[in-house]
Structure formats: C-alpha cells, structure tokens
Amino acid sequence: MASFGLCGLWPPDKNNILPSLSLIRMEASCLELALEGERLCKAGDFKGGTAFFEAAVQVGTEDLKTLSAIYSQLGNAYFYLKEYGKALEYHRHDLTLARTIGDRIGEGKASGNLGNTLKVLGRYDEAAVCCQRHLDISQEQGDKVGEARALYNIGNVFHAKGKQQLWGCSQEPGDLPSDVRDTLQRATAFYEMNLSLVKELGDRAAQGRAFGNLGNTHYLLGNFVEAIKFHRERLSIAKEFGDKAAERRAYSNLGNALIFLGQFTSATEYYRKTLQLSRQLKDQVMEAQACYSLGNTYTLLQQYDRAIDYHLKHLLIAQELNDRVGEGRACWSLGNAYVSLGNHRQALHYARKHLDISREIGDRNGELTARMNVEQLMEALGVKEGDLSPCGSEFEMQGKCYHSFCYSNDSFAEHEPLDNQRAAPDESPSWCSCNPVMQPLIPFFLSLLCSVQKLGRDPSDEDCFFDLLSKFQSSRMDDQRCHLDEGANGQDAGGSSRDSTLNDMLASLLTSPQTEELFDLIASSQSRRLDDQRVSVGNLPGLRITHNNLGHLCADPDPQEPSDDFFNMLIKCQSSRIDDQRCSPPEGGPRAPTVPDEDFFSLIQRVQAKRMDEQRVQLPSDNQGESDQQDNDESAVGDSS
C-alpha cells in the first residue's frame, strides 16, 4: 500500500518563494486529509479512511505522485469494504496516472491491485492478465519483492478459479476433471516459484503463506501426504510469529487431510486444537465449523454420544447466527447419529425439523432426503402423520438444554486466505421479472419457450436455444436488407443490361460530391467515437493541471509500450466476458457460514458407500429385486442431503 510523506513540498523554489509557499498551504491541506485517511485505514477504520481520502480528492493536488498514492489507498480501502466496483475504478485511475508519468513500478503495483480485485469479482482471465503484467514489469525493473508478490497473486487467481470450478462437482477426492486439475496445477507451479523466491529473500512470513497455499492446492488435487507436509511447515512458521489465526487454519487443514488418509483419531486432536484457538479468537463461525467437523469425525469413529454433543453445539451456534442451512445440516447429522444409537424417536424429531428447514430454504435435495428419512422412521416406530405433534417447541427446548455444552470450541479447516477470496452475492438476480429492463423481453422469451416446446426439445439445451435465437435475429436482419429483383433462374435475357445499369449507378455515386461529403461525415463520426474511448488525464478526479506538471502529462508517458502478447491476452479475455453475462447453471446447493465450504464428509460418505457396495455379495438373479429393495431400505436414512 502506497504511503504519504511531505517530500517534494520543501524546500520551496528559491527563485519563486511566494507561489511555493501558497502551494505548500494548498498541498498540506490535501496531504493532511490523505495522511489522516491513511492513519484510519491502518487502525482498521476503512469507512472513515475513505471519507478522508475522498475529501483529499475533492481538494485536489498537482503532485502526481501524491495523487497516485491516494488512488491506490482508496482502491485498497474500498476493496476491504467489499465495494469492488469503486475499488476497480480507483485502481484504474492509479494505473492510468502511473503510465502517464512513466512510473513503471507504480504501473506494476496498480496492475497487481487490479488483478486482485478482478479475481474477487470472478473475472479470472482478466485478473491473470493484470497479474502477469505486474510480474513482467517487476522482472524488467529487477524488483524481486514485486516479482514475488506477482507470482503469489497469479497463484491465487488460479487457485480461486480452480475452487470455483470445483463448486458443485461430485467427483471423489483427487478425481478431478482435466480442466480443473490443470488450473490447480498451474496454481501450484506459481506458488512453488513464489516459495523459491521468498526463501532467497529470507521472508519467513511470505514463506508461511506459500506453504499454506501449497498445502491447499495439493489437498484439492488429492495429494494428501504432500498437503500434510506443507501444512506442518505452515504451522511451524505460524507459531514462530505468534499468528494464532494462521495456526488455527493450519490445524484445521491438517485435520482435513488426515480424514482422507483414514487417520480419524489424529484428525480429532487437530480439530480440538482449532476449536480452542477459535474460542481464543472469538470467531463464532469457525467455532461452529469446528463442532461440525468434530461431530462428523466422531461419527466416523462410531462414538455417537460425543458426535451428538458436538452437533448440538453446532446447532445452537447456527440458531444464534440465523444460519438456516447450517441448522438443517445439524438436524440431519443428529438424526443419523440417533439412528445409529437406536433412538428412533429422537431421530424422527430431527428428521422432521430437517424436512421443515429444507422446505423453507428451497433445498430440494435436502427435502427429498428428509422426507425419505421421516417415512422410514415413522414406519419403524409404527406411527402415522396424525399421531405426531408439532416439533418446534420441543426443538427449541433441546437447543436450550445444551447451552452448557458451548463453553468450548474447535474450528473447521479453512483454506489459507487468498487476498481476495469471495465476492458478495447479488441481492437479486438481474433477470428477475420485476426488473423493468427485463419486462419488455419477457414475451420474447415466452415465444422462444413455446417454440422449444413445439420442437419437443429440452428448453435447457443450449444449442436449441441459440439455434432459435439465431433464427429470430436473422429474420430481423432480413427485414432490413434491400432485395433486388432477379429472374426465376437468376439469368435472364436482360441480366447483362441490368448489370451495366447498376455499374453506371455505382460509378455516379462514387464520383458524386454528396458521396464525398458522406464519407467525410462518416470518418469524422468514427474518429469522435475513437476519441471517446481514449483515456484522458483530464478526467482523473483530484488532478489540478498546472505549468509544473503539464510537461509530465504531455510527454510520451512510456516509450516501452506493452507487447502484442499482452494485448492479445487482453482481447482474448475480453471476448470471454460475454460468457460471463449468460445465465450460469444452478449451484450445487445453498451455502452456510457454519458449515465448511469443502464439506468433505459428504465425500467420505460416498467413498465409504462405494467400498460397502464392493464388499456386498451378489444374490442369485431370481432374488435380485428383493435384494435391491433391501439395500435401499438400509441406506435411506444415511443418505446425505
């Protein structure tokens, strides 16, 4: 983050003392506001800091270096406030100004900041281009620290992209699609280059971050032994610096990897340590995730009483945080644990609560699983729907009874934070029918849907949709074309005479003075459109142009322009932005803050179920139908939502 100082304001120009003193008073006002904004941001008050920085921009300055630093700090402050649009705007201003004054190091840093912001917005291809630009400039300038940061940021971009591609995938650990594996391997390669460079620089803190993220990428790739090796290195450096948050993450990640190696007892030891650190850090969300992890691990160890204790702790915290998805997951886990203990009445209570919550939040898969569990438990207990009483009051009483268990806390395995990890979800989809922009398009999409139904094709078929869209668009273009009359066979007796007439008309048009005026008008309008798309330093907020800085603004900003490869990459990723505007496929399911993002216990259950299937004995063919029905009955209550 750029910082401010009073350098450049003193001593004043000996040949022009009075204007310089006036300049000092004006500059001090802008600098004082900026310095106060910097102080507030360092204290964690980003909202107050942005107010002072914005005030500094309103006052303005002719010092280009100062203005560049203000842009950089404003972009970073808005980034931490999760106002990514404004962050993008000010980092772009910073990049424009840095290029204008020929500040190559500043241009590289601004490109890196742009890359981090674009990554958070999910625009990974553009983010990679910007971070690569930062890397190229740092290497060109011999800036080893900047080079290390750029390598780390590029690794973060591919890491985040790989995690996004993995969301909703049902593959088993390590069994990844080729594109996802390639993305994560690229992230690993950049992290390894970063680790090598920060070791050379002797930066232990940066080494810790590199070890953590290498552990995370190897974990996603299914290389659990390698992941454990890197996370232990991360843990050692976190202890060395007294970084409790990083220590908690390392313990959590070690527990995750050990789960997949089948070392459940060792995993519980790490989860308990993360629980204690989460309590020290007063992080209630991580506390709930730790309880969830411990509950599931004790279920794998078949220690169901202890599993129930931790799931009840998770349930209570989810209620306090109003995390309905987390509540539903806790109720599902409690139902499974009570079934394993043979307490079908309690299991039915939580299965019904899981069903109610799934209906409320629109979780279709959870609702189907819960309904199946409820039906089987009612059959086992010999009760009917009419015999059951509402479970709300009993459920609340259960939560209060277990309040005393929440004196301790473990934390779930969280991946090493990538500088910009998540973008805030939109509050309402842009395609909603209440959107006035979309209302005129509703009849068009309805007509498309009717055409799809008439063709008997799946409306979700992308090819079908675009075929129809092309058909509608082509008919609109045909309406605007000018049709020339032709003979039946395209060659009639008068064809040659019409051709000569047409040629004469074209020749007269091209030599007409009105045609020359038309071409001049077109050229003029096209040049104005190009000018509108150029960046003008006069549009930079807070810039006071004077004779002191006019030479810097008018001079050639950078004799070394970006290479063609840079622009080719930029054009490529810009062309892919249209894909970002298409309707995305539905996600795997609703997310919950108190449930880990990588809910690996559902993966474990699939793996365990597959192993059980492999160990079953196939019965003779005449009893096959009865065998299938029995398998369904046995596994219904244990299915994951």
Side-chain angles (χ1 to χ4, degrees):
M1 187 179 286
S3 59
F4 301 96
L6 294 175
C7 58
L9 298 179
W10 195 267
D13 185 358
K14 295 180 181 178
N15 298 325
N16 198 1
I17 186 72
L18 292 178
S20 298
L21 288 174
S22 174
L23 173 62
I24 290 173
R25 284 195 295 271
M26 294 176 66
E27 291 299 316
S29 176
C30 179
L31 272 177
E32 285 171 356
L33 291 168
L35 287 168
E36 180 61 17
E38 182 181 42
R39 185 190 67 78
L40 290 172
C41 287
K42 286 182 176 178
D45 183 6
F46 295 105
K47 200 166 188 64
T50 55
F52 275 92
F53 282 130
E54 291 282 9
V57 171
Q58 289 295 322
V59 171
T61 178
E62 66 181 61
D63 189 323
L64 303 180
K65 290 278 189 181
T66 298
L67 187 59
S68 176
I70 292 174
Y71 287 158
S72 178
Q73 295 244 35
L74 258 175
N76 290 334
Y78 278 124
F79 179 90
Y80 285 110
L81 290 173
K82 298 184 178 180
E83 297 185 34
Y84 301 115
K86 288 188 175 181
L88 209 61
E89 174 188 349
Y90 280 104
H91 285 315
R92 280 174 174 159
H93 288 329
D94 187 23
L95 178 62
T96 299
L97 191 54
R99 288 185 55 76
T100 300
I101 62 179
D103 180 6
R104 295 288 286 168
I105 297 293
E107 180 185 348
K109 291 178 180 178
S111 297
N113 288 332
L114 271 174
N116 288 336
T117 308
L118 289 166
K119 181 195 69 177
V120 137
L121 295 173
R123 292 158 63 174
Y124 301 115
D125 293 337
E126 293 172 82
V129 170
C130 291
C131 292
Q132 183 65 48
R133 182 70 175 156
H134 184 199
L135 177 61
D136 293 341
I137 293 175
S138 298
Q139 290 174 338
E140 165 204 309
Q141 298 293 315
D143 180 8
K144 293 292 185 181
V145 174
E147 181 181 351
R149 289 175 179 171
L151 289 168
Y152 181 78
N153 287 336
I154 298 175
N156 283 345
V157 170
F158 287 115
H159 190 172
K161 182 178 181 180
K163 290 178 70 176
Q164 191 271 338
Q165 290 172 330
L166 273 174
W167 183 255
C169 290
S170 59
Q171 278 81 5
E172 295 176 8
D175 182 18
L176 305 175
S178 58
D179 58 332
V180 179
R181 178 172 293 277
D182 178 66
T183 300
L184 293 173
Q185 286 175 342
R186 294 181 72 181
T188 302
F190 280 104
Y191 285 141
E192 287 173 346
M193 288 187 283
N194 167 257
L195 178 60
S196 176
L197 187 52
V198 295
K199 281 183 176 179
E200 178 184 331
L201 295 172
D203 189 342
R204 290 286 289 167
Q207 290 175 43
R209 291 190 292 270
F211 280 128
N213 280 320
L214 278 168
N216 292 334
T217 50
H218 279 290
Y219 168 84
L220 293 175
L221 288 166
N223 305 328
F224 303 115
V225 175
E226 285 291 303
I228 289 173
K229 180 186 74 173
F230 285 118
H231 284 311
R232 282 178 175 157
E233 292 283 354
R234 198 335 169 213
L235 177 61
S236 175
I237 295 177
K239 289 181 176 179
E240 177 183 328
F241 282 88
D243 187 346
K244 295 296 183 182
E247 187 178 345
R248 178 193 60 76
R249 289 193 298 269
Y251 281 133
S252 300
N253 291 330
L254 283 166
N256 287 353
L258 288 168
I259 285 287
F260 281 109
L261 294 178
Q263 301 179 28
F264 303 140
T265 303
S266 298
T268 59
E269 295 174 3
Y270 285 114
Y271 286 142
R272 273 201 291 268
K273 289 178 180 178
T274 47
L275 183 58
Q276 294 168 0
L277 286 172
S278 295
R279 191 177 306 112
Q280 291 178 22
L281 296 169
K282 302 185 184 304
D283 190 337
Q284 203 173 20
V285 170
M286 291 298 107
E287 176 181 353
Q289 290 190 8
C291 293
Y292 179 84
S293 298
L294 278 165
N296 282 290
T297 307
Y298 280 120
T299 298
L300 294 172
L301 289 169
Q302 299 183 1
Q303 298 181 26
Y304 301 112
D305 289 326
R306 303 186 74 174
I308 288 171
D309 288 344
Y310 283 108
H311 283 310
L312 285 168
K313 295 175 189 178
H314 172 218
L315 174 60
L316 183 62
I317 297 174
Q319 289 174 329
E320 291 177 359
L321 298 178
N322 197 28
D323 177 15
R324 295 295 282 167
V325 178
E327 284 185 54
R329 191 62 59 86
C331 291
W332 173 79
S333 300
L334 284 164
N336 291 340
Y338 277 117
V339 166
S340 300
L341 288 176
N343 189 341
H344 292 157
R345 188 166 297 278
Q346 279 292 85
L348 178 59
H349 167 75
Y350 286 108
R352 291 178 65 206
K353 195 63 183 178
H354 180 209
L355 178 60
D356 292 341
I357 294 174
S358 298
R359 287 171 175 166
E360 176 187 329
I361 64 178
D363 182 3
R364 181 62 177 166
N365 291 333
E367 182 180 350
L368 292 173
T369 300
R371 182 180 291 111
M372 187 182 302
N373 292 345
V374 167
E375 291 173 356
Q376 293 202 348
L377 287 167
M378 288 175 59
E379 182 179 352
L381 291 169
V383 297
K384 298 181 180 179
E385 186 69 30
D387 300 331
L388 299 175
S389 59
C391 57
S393 59
E394 181 186 355
F395 180 74
E396 296 297 334
M397 181 183 67
Q398 289 282 345
K400 293 177 182 177
C401 289
Y402 278 90
H403 190 279
S404 60
F405 283 98
C406 291
Y407 60 87
S408 68
N409 211 356
D410 305 5
S411 175
F412 169 70
E414 166 202 9
H415 286 317
E416 189 77 15
L418 314 175
D419 289 340
N420 310 318
Q421 191 160 0
R422 293 177 182 164
D426 294 332
E427 293 183 1
S428 61
S430 59
W431 43 262
C432 179
S433 60
C434 60
N435 188 335
V437 178
M438 291 300 297
Q439 286 178 356
L441 298 179
I442 293 176
F444 170 70
F445 286 114
L446 287 176
S447 64
L448 276 181
L449 181 60
C450 293
S451 300
V452 170
Q453 292 173 344
K454 289 178 181 178
L455 290 174
R457 299 178 68 175
D458 186 355
S460 65
D461 187 338
E462 184 177 346
D463 294 335
C464 175
F465 173 78
F466 285 110
D467 288 344
L468 289 169
L469 189 60
S470 300
K471 178 180 178 182
F472 277 91
Q473 293 294 334
S474 62
S475 63
R476 291 179 60 194
M477 293 181 67
D478 289 338
D479 294 340
Q480 300 174 34
R481 290 192 174 98
C482 178
H483 297 280
L484 298 176
D485 294 331
E486 296 183 358
N489 298 323
Q491 296 177 350
D492 58 345
S496 59
S497 62
R498 279 199 302 269
D499 289 343
S500 61
T501 303
L502 182 60
N503 290 334
D504 293 340
M505 291 173 62
L506 289 173
S508 63
L509 282 173
L510 290 174
T511 56
S512 170
Q514 288 84 2
T515 303
E516 293 294 333
E517 293 177 5
L518 176 63
F519 286 153
D520 291 340
L521 181 61
I522 291 174
S524 175
S525 64
Q526 290 295 331
S527 64
R528 284 198 301 270
R529 290 181 62 191
L530 287 171
D531 289 337
D532 293 339
Q533 299 176 36
R534 291 191 175 98
V535 177
S536 172
V537 294
N539 296 330
L540 294 176
L543 175 61
R544 293 203 308 266
I545 301 177
T546 67
H547 67 278
N548 294 328
N549 58 23
L550 189 59
H552 294 287
L553 296 175
C554 295
D556 185 8
D558 186 5
Q560 185 173 358
E561 294 293 331
S563 64
D564 291 339
D565 292 338
F566 172 75
F567 287 111
N568 289 337
M569 287 190 295
L570 195 60
I571 291 170
K572 180 180 178 182
C573 69
Q574 288 289 335
S575 65
S576 67
R577 290 183 62 187
I578 192 169
D579 293 331
D580 299 335
Q581 301 173 30
R582 293 193 175 109
C583 293
S584 58
E587 294 187 350
R591 303 189 186 188
T594 63
V595 177
D597 286 340
E598 291 81 16
D599 188 2
F600 51 84
F601 290 103
S602 60
L603 296 177
I604 282 286
Q605 287 160 359
R606 287 204 302 271
V607 174
Q608 295 291 338
K610 183 177 179 181
R611 290 176 59 190
M612 291 179 66
D613 290 338
E614 292 171 352
Q615 297 174 30
R616 286 193 173 101
V617 176
Q618 297 293 332
L619 297 179
S621 58
D622 55 349
N623 294 329
Q624 188 65 43
E626 180 182 353
S627 173
D628 290 343
Q629 181 61 45
Q630 182 179 0
D631 290 346
N632 289 334
D633 292 342
E634 290 175 355
S635 62
V637 178
D639 279 347
S640 171
S641 61

